Amino acid sequence: SDADLPKKGKVVSTIDATQYTYIEVVEDKKTIWLAAPTITLKKNNVIRYDAGSEMSNFHSKTLNRTFPSVIFVNRVVLSGEKE
């Protein structure tokens, strides 16, 4: 249910890594990065997701990139909603 997925955001970009998709989303006017089990999304999709757990200064070896903050979420669903 949507109650399990309290967060909502709009997709800005995605990067596929080995077991994850990194998703750049705008949530409440701020831009954040999520890491979720592999999912195919398009720019401007509206998604819902769980609160997850945040990792600061997370380094992805696959991408050779350090993110100031990544929220690892268990589930992301494409929402039919508009912003």
Side-chain angles (χ1 to χ4, degrees):
S1 76
D2 279 356
D4 303 330
L5 301 170
K7 302 284 196 175
K8 185 173 94 164
K10 185 185 259 190
V11 177
V12 179
S13 68
T14 61
I15 306 170
D16 287 315
T18 316
Q19 291 136 338
Y20 296 104
T21 300
Y22 292 91
I23 311 164
E24 187 183 11
V25 301
V26 175
E27 176 191 285
D28 295 331
K29 299 191 169 70
K30 64 180 192 290
T31 304
I32 60 171
W33 282 94
L34 307 177
T38 308
I39 183 172
T40 303
L41 295 166
K42 294 201 223 15
K43 185 173 158 61
N44 294 327
N45 280 163
V46 175
I47 57 173
R48 293 192 78 96
Y49 41 95
D50 58 277
S53 58
E54 184 175 0
M55 306 248 318
S56 298
N57 297 316
F58 175 76
H59 181 72
S60 164
K61 289 192 181 72
T62 315
L63 304 177
N64 189 25
R65 171 174 179 168
T66 300
F67 294 89
S69 163
V70 174
I71 299 168
F72 282 81
V73 298
N74 297 307
R75 206 158 79 84
V76 171
V77 297
L78 187 54
S79 171
E81 299 169 90
K82 296 281 176 252
E83 272 295 274

